[in-house]
């Protein structure tokens, strides 16, 4: 069956978040890691989200990868492909939101493309093209100090125009309030004047529902999970229904954590009361394999009796000491390699249900496990679904990939409880 909707996501956890939004709003969804080979037997789904890692790479590299992913999706019947970006519009004057949107527009021969990072559920709203993050103007929010892409200009028309060749317009809230036909009339007018993209205002989910309906009249759109919600609801009301359930996989369970965020540290402290938790000696991890082998031996002695957790996670002070000693990138990368190796070794020893905490940590683990795709199941916490592998060398597994500050204090127990 052809897919109803496709998406190309600029990072892995953003892809999961969008896949979760599609699934929660009525679409049976698969998330793939890159465009998988044609030989991968994908289950019958309504939507496919192709996860890429192109948020902070050079624009031409991002455009090439995104183009290939869009082609893969359209070849499978997707009449609309959304480019999934961060809800804080993470980008620089070089890209990559503008260049990818323009490439999609050219390839699909689309008119003016709707672009909006609005996602009211997580406090992202757009009014007169100005992005507000939890009630603060983007340029006054913590994003102004983002290490890779400091966001110092709150006007997304200006931000997107600086990284685009064609002019960028505004689709204002007053137009959106008049409904999808009014939106499309405004877009047609902008298209006649050669506007490549239009930043769409949205404050409430109802605005995104209108934008979703309007966007489906075009082959492409660009947005965060809020626009995904609008697209999914527009398609779901057209007949798609879905109760996200995953077949159980059995086997052993484990948690591997590399996130040092406040939420993860709290979740680990709570997990410690109900299951064995090993705190890795991260300094020793930097010096060779002995610490990895110690962790695997420790796990081997306990895991048959129930889930275990292995964590590199540490307090901000300890992380700062590691970074001072080894450098920020080298420490992070080496620890990601170590945690992903531990995850892979645990899987080799019979773990079929795996929770990974940390965005980068999850990416490294999924890459090392060579998992080509996931079917999206029920939601554990906002933005974090249970995933079931599709294909891959380890047989059927269930995973939960938790980024940074996601999940409540009992997240780990809740995740394991929902994985069958
Ligand atoms: P989050 O989603 O919370 O940002 P990530 O996995 O994306 O988590 O990032 C955490 C980073 O911190 C990873 O690169 C990880 O390897 C690194 N890290 C984990 N433990 C430590 C530690 N004890 N000291 C320094 N860096 C660490």
């Amino acid at each position: 069956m052809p897919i109803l909707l496709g998406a190309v996501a600029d990072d892995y956890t953003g892809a999961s978040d969008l896949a979760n939004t599609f699934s929660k709003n009525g679409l049976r969804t698969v998330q793939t890691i890159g465009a998988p080979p044609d030989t991968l037997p994908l289950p019958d789904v309504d939507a496919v989200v192709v996860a890429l890692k192109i948020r902070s790479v050079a624009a031409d590299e991002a455009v090439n990868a995104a183009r290939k992913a869009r082609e893969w999706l359209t070849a499978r019947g997707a009449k609309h492909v959304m480019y999934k970006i961060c809800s804080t519009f993470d980008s620089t004057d070089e890209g990559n939101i503008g260049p990818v949107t323009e490439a999609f527009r050219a390839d699909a021969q689309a008119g003016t493309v709707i672009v909006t990072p609005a996602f009211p559920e997580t406090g992202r709203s757009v009014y007169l093209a100005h992005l507000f993050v939890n009630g603060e103007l983007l340029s006054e929010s913590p994003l102004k100090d983002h290490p890779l892409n400091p966001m110092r200009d709150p006007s997304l028309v200006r931000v997107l125009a600086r990284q685009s060749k064609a002019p960028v317009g505004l689709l204002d809230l007053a137009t959106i309030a008049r409904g999808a036909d009014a939106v499309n009339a405004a877009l047609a007018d902008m298209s006649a004047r050669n506007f490549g993209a239009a930043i769409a205002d949205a404050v409430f989910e109802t605005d995104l529902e209108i934008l979703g309906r309007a966007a489906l009249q075009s082959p492409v759109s660009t947005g965060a999970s809020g626009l995904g919600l609008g697209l999914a609801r527009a398609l779901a009301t057209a007949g798609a229904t879905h109760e996200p359930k995953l077949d159980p996989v059995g086997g052993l369970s484990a948690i591997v954590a590399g996130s040092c965020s406040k939420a993860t540290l709290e979740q680990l402290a709570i997990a410690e009361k109900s299951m064995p938790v090993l705190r890795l000696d991260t300094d020793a991890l930097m010096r060779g394999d002995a610490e990895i082998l110690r962790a695997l031996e420790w796990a081997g002695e306990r895991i048959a009796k129930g889930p275990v957790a292995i964590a590199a996670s540490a307090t901000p002070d300890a992380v700062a000491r590691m970074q001072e000693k080894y450098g920020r990138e080298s420490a992070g990368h080496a620890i990601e390699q170590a945690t992903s190796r531990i995850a892979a070794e645990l899987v080799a020893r019979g773990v079929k249900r795996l929770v990974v905490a940390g965005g980068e940590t999850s990416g490294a683990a999924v890459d090392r496990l060579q998992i080509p795709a996931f079917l999206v199941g029920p939601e554990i916490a906002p933005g974090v679904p249970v995933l079931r592998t599709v294909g891959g060398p380890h047989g059927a597994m269930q995973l939960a990939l938790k980024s940074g500050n996601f999940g409540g204090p009992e997240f780990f127990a809740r995740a394991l409880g929902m994985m069958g």
Side-chain angles (χ1 to χ4, degrees):
M1 222 174 69
I3 54 178
L4 294 176
L5 180 61
V8 178
D10 69 356
D11 81 344
Y12 285 10
T13 42
S16 286
D17 188 5
L18 179 66
N20 183 55
T21 300
F22 283 169
S23 174
K24 256 190 352 181
N25 287 285
L27 302 182
R28 205 170 135 79
T29 305
V30 149
Q31 174 187 343
T32 68
I33 307 301
D38 290 338
T39 46
L40 184 74
L42 284 181
D44 222 6
V45 288
D46 306 309
V48 176
V49 179
V50 177
L52 301 177
K53 272 189 197 159
I54 56 169
R55 186 171 294 169
S56 316
V57 304
D60 54 348
E61 193 186 322
V63 165
N64 285 340
R67 268 197 158 128
K68 279 199 194 108
R70 197 189 79 86
E71 271 165 30
W72 186 91
L73 288 161
T74 51
R76 273 146 197 85
K79 293 209 161 39
H80 184 91
V81 176
M82 170 184 157
Y83 180 44
K84 160 70 172 73
I85 57 166
C86 182
S87 65
T88 49
F89 218 75
D90 290 16
S91 55
T92 67
D93 289 354
E94 281 69 54
N96 290 331
I97 300 174
V100 173
T101 301
E102 291 197 317
F104 277 16
R105 174 173 176 250
D107 290 355
Q109 298 184 326
T112 305
V113 179
I114 291 178
V115 178
T116 186
F119 193 17
E121 191 185 316
T122 56
R124 278 42 162 177
S125 56
V126 181
Y127 181 65
L128 295 178
H130 284 57
L131 173 59
F132 293 83
V133 178
N134 295 326
E136 284 181 316
L137 209 51
L138 176 66
S139 50
E140 291 167 22
S141 78
L143 275 301
K144 71 181 188 303
D145 300 318
H146 190 287
L148 298 176
N149 43 259
M151 303 305 287
R152 302 259 160 88
D153 184 348
S155 162
L156 300 185
V157 166
R158 286 195 301 255
V159 172
L160 188 59
R162 283 198 294 271
Q163 45 179 293
S164 302
K165 292 200 176 85
V168 175
L170 165 68
L171 204 45
D172 69 3
L173 200 58
T175 304
I176 293 162
R178 288 179 17 238
D181 290 346
V183 168
N184 278 323
L187 286 171
D189 182 53
M190 281 191 257
S191 193
R193 291 184 288 136
N194 286 324
F195 280 81
I199 297 292
D201 285 351
V203 176
F204 299 110
E205 286 188 359
T206 44
D207 303 326
L208 290 157
E209 287 172 1
I210 291 167
L211 288 170
R213 282 202 295 281
L216 286 179
Q217 302 302 312
S218 159
V220 290
S221 63
T222 294
S225 288
L227 184 60
L229 170 149
L231 289 165
R233 287 190 187 166
L235 285 165
T237 50
T241 54
H242 156 61
E243 186 68 35
K245 264 205 196 109
L246 297 177
D247 291 337
V249 293
L252 303 175
S253 311
I255 297 166
V256 174
S259 159
C260 301
S261 71
K262 193 165 164 266
T264 305
L265 297 180
E266 191 183 338
Q267 288 156 354
L268 282 167
I270 288 176
E272 235 156 15
K273 295 180 190 155
S274 60
M275 71 177 81
V277 177
L278 178 71
R279 304 288 185 161
L280 291 165
D281 176 344
T282 46
D283 206 46
L285 274 186
M286 304 297 293
R287 292 195 301 268
D289 286 356
E291 181 64 1
I292 294 179
L293 298 175
R294 180 180 82 94
L296 293 172
E297 201 180 310
W298 174 91
E301 288 160 6
R302 292 164 178 82
I303 201 158
K305 296 194 202 88
V308 299
I310 298 179
S313 317
T315 58
D317 285 355
V319 171
R321 279 198 299 279
M322 281 293 289
Q323 291 179 340
E324 216 166 279
K325 193 161 170 190
Y326 298 102
R328 177 186 295 266
E329 283 218 356
S330 324
H333 187 69
I335 295 172
E336 280 158 36
Q337 290 311 306
T339 45
S340 69
R341 257 189 73 192
I342 290 171
E345 293 292 344
L346 290 173
V347 169
R349 289 162 171 73
V351 166
K352 293 281 179 203
R353 290 171 284 176
L354 178 67
V355 182
V356 187
E360 294 299 324
T361 308
S362 297
V366 165
D367 283 346
R368 182 168 304 249
L369 289 167
Q370 295 177 289
I371 298 168
F374 294 111
L375 189 57
V376 179
E379 186 178 63
I380 304 162
V384 194
V386 181
L387 302 168
R388 189 179 198 277
T389 55
V390 177
H394 307 289
M397 288 180 63
Q398 286 192 9
L399 280 92
L401 307 175
K402 186 195 87 82
S403 96
N405 278 314
F406 281 26
E410 308 280 345
F411 177 84
F412 289 130
R414 188 172 157 76
L416 292 167
M418 287 178 70
M419 297 162 86

